[in-house]
Amino acid sequence: MSTVSVVTLAKGRPAHLRNVLLGLERQTQKPAEFVVAVMQDALYDLPEVGFPVRQIRVEGTELPLAAARNRGVAASSGDRIAFLDVDCIPTPGFVAEYAQGLSALDGLLMGEVLHLPEHATFGDWDYDDLARVAEKHSDRRGPPASGIEICSDYRCFWSLNFAISRATFEAVGGFDERYTGYGGEDTDFGKILDRRGIPIAWMKGALAYHQYHPHHMPPIHHLDSVVRNAELFEAKWGYRTMGHWLHAFRVMGLIDDTPDRPIRILRRPDAADLALTGQQSHQPYTNSASVIRHLEARAREAEAAPEPAIAPVTA
């Protein structure tokens, strides 16, 4: 039987992390270990479980997501690695299904993700309760009806919930640690795999429930790192990534991203921008597409509005 290490990156959100651990404790196939790459000074107070739990500190003034994934793999021992965000609860078949999937395809596999509303994990939750209220993200495609389906566009890679063999991860050199802060490091990794001819695929199973937390889409609270990482990607590959976010930032008047020139930040997000992009408590998620549609409709209305009449000048 293959061994699967589960790696999570964590900064804050201790209640979310404890739910991840509870989900791993309920697995039909226990992980070889649970490695938490801790992106804060203090380690977490976690309950005892029936498999090893290792916490490692990862230094960095901004979110060192790329470096944390690499350190998590280096600290693990399994021959397969399942990456799971700190806000995702794995369903009982998560580990076993990834082990089976990676036996069928030596590549990167992305499991299913459903999103939970606020309060869904309050108290003693169970999987039936989560399943009743979970929703699919409207911006993300669903899994195949069964088995594994190759994705022909590396940009489909979503780092929320994925697995890869240790040998393949190490062969490509892991994530590019020049990416710091939020955005772009996962698309870059997908591009690396694509260049090496390593398949990226969706799979039925390995479901995780994304726990509610307020956030912004597009991620205007990470404006600086998205811009910086988009320019790093362009310097490396010849074109920019995160185009949908950059487009939203441009429509909002936050940036000038004229091609062949450095991206300029024109202003900082204000309270109206935060209100527009922020997740509401009744939403299991927020999405960039709806914000962009709203902004473009507002721009069209402004263009169609009649010019105000100008009073004649009298002597």
Side-chain angles (χ1 to χ4, degrees):
M1 180 181 292
S2 65
T3 56
V4 179
S5 296
V6 177
V7 173
T8 288
L9 320 183
K11 182 176 182 179
R13 301 184 188 168
H16 284 174
L17 181 59
R18 290 176 70 89
N19 283 334
V20 175
L21 196 58
L22 287 174
L24 291 175
E25 180 75 337
R26 300 173 186 181
Q27 293 295 297
T28 59
Q29 175 183 330
K30 291 291 191 289
E33 70 213 328
F34 181 42
V35 178
V36 185
V38 179
M39 301 177 293
Q40 61 185 27
D41 292 335
L43 298 180
Y44 291 86
D45 180 18
L46 297 175
E48 292 291 326
V49 291
F51 48 86
V53 176
R54 185 176 302 115
Q55 299 189 58
I56 57 168
R57 285 193 183 88
V58 181
E59 302 295 332
T61 54
E62 289 192 77
L63 282 173
L65 300 175
R69 291 194 181 98
N70 292 344
R71 301 295 181 278
V73 173
S76 67
S77 62
D79 57 359
R80 282 102 188 256
I81 314 295
F83 291 87
L84 190 64
D85 274 9
V86 69
D87 48 18
C88 291
I89 300 173
T91 49
F94 177 85
V95 170
E97 287 156 7
Y98 266 142
Q100 182 179 9
L102 288 172
S103 295
L105 178 73
D106 183 11
L108 183 147
L109 293 178
M110 296 176 290
E112 300 177 61
V113 177
L114 293 175
H115 294 255
L116 298 172
E118 192 176 19
H119 306 309
T121 56
F122 285 14
D124 295 326
W125 55 265
D126 62 42
Y127 286 110
D128 289 339
D129 292 336
L130 302 187
R132 276 191 290 271
V133 297
E135 294 186 22
K136 177 187 175 296
H137 198 298
S138 60
D139 284 359
R140 298 285 180 175
R141 60 146 289 170
S146 62
I148 293 170
E149 181 180 316
I150 301 295
C151 177
S152 59
D153 185 342
Y154 71 91
R155 292 173 298 178
C156 72
F157 173 40
W158 196 16
S159 58
L160 204 67
N161 169 15
F162 73 99
I164 190 170
S165 73
R166 171 184 298 279
T168 299
F169 186 89
E170 292 176 348
V172 301
F175 284 76
D176 185 339
E177 296 185 15
R178 292 178 296 170
Y179 290 91
T180 57
Y182 184 84
E185 86 291 339
D186 46 1
T187 308
D188 181 88
F189 188 67
K191 179 71 173 178
I192 292 170
L193 296 180
D194 183 64
R195 279 292 183 91
R196 297 286 292 269
I198 296 168
I200 299 171
W202 300 98
M203 65 172 282
K204 181 67 176 175
L207 169 63
Y209 289 109
H210 181 273
Q211 302 176 73
Y212 172 90
H213 59 86
H215 63 288
H216 295 270
M217 276 294 152
I220 59 173
H221 54 316
H222 294 297
L223 175 64
D224 294 273
S225 65
V226 169
V227 167
R228 183 180 64 247
N229 289 343
E231 293 193 316
L232 171 58
F233 189 96
E234 183 178 26
K236 183 174 180 179
W237 300 109
Y239 57 95
R240 293 169 183 164
T241 188
M242 298 179 285
H244 58 308
W245 291 346
L246 295 178
H247 173 67
F249 294 164
R250 180 176 67 254
V251 174
M252 296 173 75
L254 298 174
I255 66 168
D256 175 0
D257 65 340
T258 302
D260 302 319
R261 289 166 47 184
I263 301 171
R264 290 191 303 131
I265 296 177
L266 302 177
R267 65 176 181 87
R268 313 307 307 180
D270 58 22
D273 299 320
L274 293 168
L276 174 65
T277 61
Q279 182 179 14
Q280 303 300 311
S281 62
H282 67 280
Q283 297 173 309
Y285 61 88
T286 187
N287 64 327
S288 299
S290 61
V291 172
I292 291 170
R293 286 193 297 269
H294 172 80
L295 290 166
E296 291 178 339
R298 192 167 67 185
R300 288 193 297 271
E301 290 171 1
E303 290 175 359
E307 293 290 334
I310 299 176
V313 177
T314 58

